[in-house]
Amino acid sequence: MATLILNASEILTLAGPDGPRAGPDKGTLGVLRDGAVLIEKDRIVAAGPKAVVLTNPLAKGAKILSAEGRVLMPGFVDAHTHPVFVAPRLEDFQSRLAGKTYADIAAAGGGILSTVNGVRGAKEADLTAGLRMRALDFIASGTTTIEAKSGYGLDLDNELKLLRAMRAVSGRGPLEIVATFLGAHAVPPEYKGRKDDFVERVCETMIPRVASEKLATFVDLFCEKGYFDLDDLRKIAAAGAKAGLKLKVHAEQLSRMESLGEALKLGAVSADHLDCVVEADLPALAISGTVACLVPGSNYFLGKPYPPARRLLDSGAAVALATDFNPGTCPCYDMRMIVSIACTQMKMTPAEALVSATINGAHALGLGATHGSLEAGKIADLACFDAEDHRELAYWFGSPKTRWVMKRGEVVYKAS
Ligand code: NIG
Ligand code: FE
């Protein structure tokens, strides 16, 4: 039986042109005030003015779901997370509050490698169970699809363990997980001082294996001083391309490596972070097909300056927003908090932030044709929020607002 959703104060359809939204489309929400959404099985059959949707033969006899005067929109698409880990990094947190930097902490044995120790000591079943719990937290905050990176295993078996946990959780649902192999997240202790050998291992052994088991869609690396450089980026992109993996890059995060320019040349689907971009980087980004995926929750948590979102948007770049959920730099899975930070700290408008958190997040995952907007033929992933006006989603921060969430046509979360 079809489902007909009525009585929303606003339906944000996000309907618009194909391709990542930028320039004049950067804040177009496609708001309907007397709208309806018709769903059959896992797909949207129609979304538009109520009078038009009601003419669809499937609307007759459909089950009615009332949005009760609230905002209805596509579920958030969170295009950058590192969600498979064992424990929070409370020592790192406390050291940083005492004045240490992310780099100081990593040099002293904390940082990514401390999470690697936890993952290496964990069973796949426990990682899977932990991720399943976190998946429900994402869903309850209105996120229906995430990208998830490995990168806390750093050897073949442990990276496979992380990716298999993602596959198991995504397969069971309701949260859909698009996996990224981030083998080059840090040089593991057994390769200390032998970065090039590790990169060779990543390219020659790990990428082909991950791809042959179809465990990832993307390959990524942490292109940063003390981690991996532009040569490594080129090698990993080439090995990924050969194995059929698309490219994402942690680019210009803590320092400017010129990794954005290189990522554009390599046709990256997204370049993420971009805290240290400069004006000269912007024209090439604006004419590229690469999405600038900003993760300002990590700036908030590390107490660092924000990426220049306004400059990026105004120069014509397609901007996505994501949480970067991870134990080191952003232990926040709530996209509404990220939308709030984007507005208050980076001066994005609520409409721009919501475009970035939905349809442009989908484009940052290569899923723009099926996810991220309420249009006929797309997957029925929706979230209904306790708000009458979409600007409230950025305005009320720090308090849950989700009323219900639908994934593939089924209501999978309801606020109590
Ligand atoms: O996106 N930059 C590298 N990776 C993560 C941090 C991972 C960690 O500290 O555990 C990030 O900020
Ligand atoms: Fe990250």
Side-chain angles (χ1 to χ4, degrees):
M1 192 202 287
T3 302
L4 181 64
I5 311 179
L6 300 171
N7 306 327
S9 57
E10 296 180 348
I11 297 178
L12 316 183
T13 63
L14 278 297
D18 294 344
R21 306 291 162 77
D25 299 313
K26 65 185 182 300
T28 305
L29 293 174
V31 181
L32 298 170
R33 293 214 162 69
D34 193 16
V37 182
L38 183 63
I39 291 158
E40 200 197 22
K41 298 201 178 91
D42 62 346
R43 298 277 162 171
I44 295 167
V45 176
K50 183 171 146 192
V52 177
V53 173
L54 287 178
T55 63
N56 190 299
L58 282 173
K60 219 178 246 146
K63 184 175 86 190
I64 306 289
L65 179 57
S66 174
E68 299 173 315
R70 299 185 166 98
V71 171
L72 183 69
M73 57 175 276
F76 289 120
V77 180
D78 184 350
H80 182 141
T81 82
H82 309 244
V84 200
F85 56 87
V86 178
R89 297 221 297 266
L90 301 177
E91 297 305 323
D92 293 12
F93 180 50
Q94 196 147 355
S95 304
R96 212 166 29 250
L97 302 183
K100 296 266 187 295
T101 65
Y102 186 79
D104 296 337
I105 291 166
I112 293 169
L113 293 183
S114 64
T115 298
V116 170
N117 283 336
V119 163
R120 287 184 173 183
K123 293 198 182 76
E124 187 180 314
D126 294 334
L127 293 172
T128 305
L131 180 60
R132 185 161 288 139
M133 297 300 292
R134 288 186 189 129
L136 298 178
D137 291 335
F138 278 98
I139 287 282
S141 57
T143 297
T144 44
T145 302
I146 66 167
E147 180 259 17
K149 300 173 197 295
S150 63
Y152 291 133
L154 305 185
D155 62 26
L156 181 62
D157 287 346
N158 285 293
E159 287 291 307
L160 292 175
K161 198 163 81 176
L162 293 165
L163 292 165
R164 287 180 184 139
M166 293 172 198
R167 178 157 70 185
V169 172
S170 186
R172 181 157 149 188
L175 184 68
E176 183 173 350
I177 302 178
V178 178
T180 294
F181 172 59
L182 177 59
H185 196 191
V187 177
E190 62 276 17
Y191 278 88
K192 194 163 189 226
R194 295 190 297 130
K195 171 183 71 67
D196 290 350
D197 292 346
F198 180 62
V199 171
E200 191 180 314
R201 173 90 179 145
V202 167
C203 292
E204 303 294 320
T205 308
M206 294 164 80
I207 288 176
R209 178 68 183 276
V210 165
S212 77
E213 288 199 31
K214 297 198 179 346
L215 281 166
T217 305
F218 292 96
V219 67
D220 189 353
L221 79 161
F222 188 20
C223 200
E224 185 58 59
K225 281 197 194 105
Y227 293 83
F228 300 95
D229 59 25
L230 291 186
D231 256 352
D232 303 327
L233 167 53
R234 286 185 279 268
K235 286 181 196 163
I236 286 169
K242 193 168 155 206
L245 302 182
K246 293 180 273 186
L247 181 65
K248 286 179 168 286
V249 184
H250 276 75
E252 325 289 26
Q253 179 179 358
L254 305 173
S255 58
R256 183 164 179 271
M257 304 277 293
E258 302 189 15
S259 49
L260 172 59
E262 198 58 38
L264 299 179
K265 280 189 214 147
L266 293 164
V269 176
S270 74
D272 299 34
H273 285 274
L274 305 183
D275 300 8
C276 301
V277 288
V278 297
E279 276 301 308
D281 294 325
L282 303 185
L285 176 63
I287 57 165
S288 75
T290 301
V291 177
C293 185
L294 307 183
V295 291
S298 66
N299 303 78
Y300 168 83
F301 189 71
L302 297 179
K304 297 191 65 123
Y306 290 89
R310 214 39 287 149
R311 281 301 303 134
L312 289 162
L313 286 162
D314 293 340
S315 71
V319 171
L321 284 170
T323 59
D324 197 13
F325 177 63
N326 76 78
T329 66
C330 188
C332 170
Y333 48 77
D334 182 359
M335 283 293 280
R336 226 167 49 70
M337 181 67 194
I338 304 305
V339 163
S340 170
I341 294 174
C343 294
T344 59
Q345 308 302 304
M346 304 198 299
K347 308 302 174 207
M348 290 174 71
T349 66
E352 288 165 347
L354 292 169
V355 167
S356 298
T358 54
I359 185 67
N360 276 5
H363 281 293
L365 296 185
L367 294 179
T370 48
H371 292 61
S373 66
L374 306 183
E375 294 178 273
K378 285 203 160 185
I379 305 278
D381 291 354
L382 291 84
C384 181
F385 289 101
D386 201 359
E388 278 180 40
D389 181 311
H390 66 269
R391 291 172 296 184
E392 292 180 63
L393 301 180
Y395 174 90
W396 303 106
F397 72 97
S399 49
K401 282 273 161 206
T402 322
R403 290 306 301 175
W404 52 260
V405 177
M406 178 181 274
K407 179 68 190 171
R408 296 189 188 280
E410 266 181 55
V411 175
V412 291
Y413 171 82
K414 258 190 190 158
S416 45

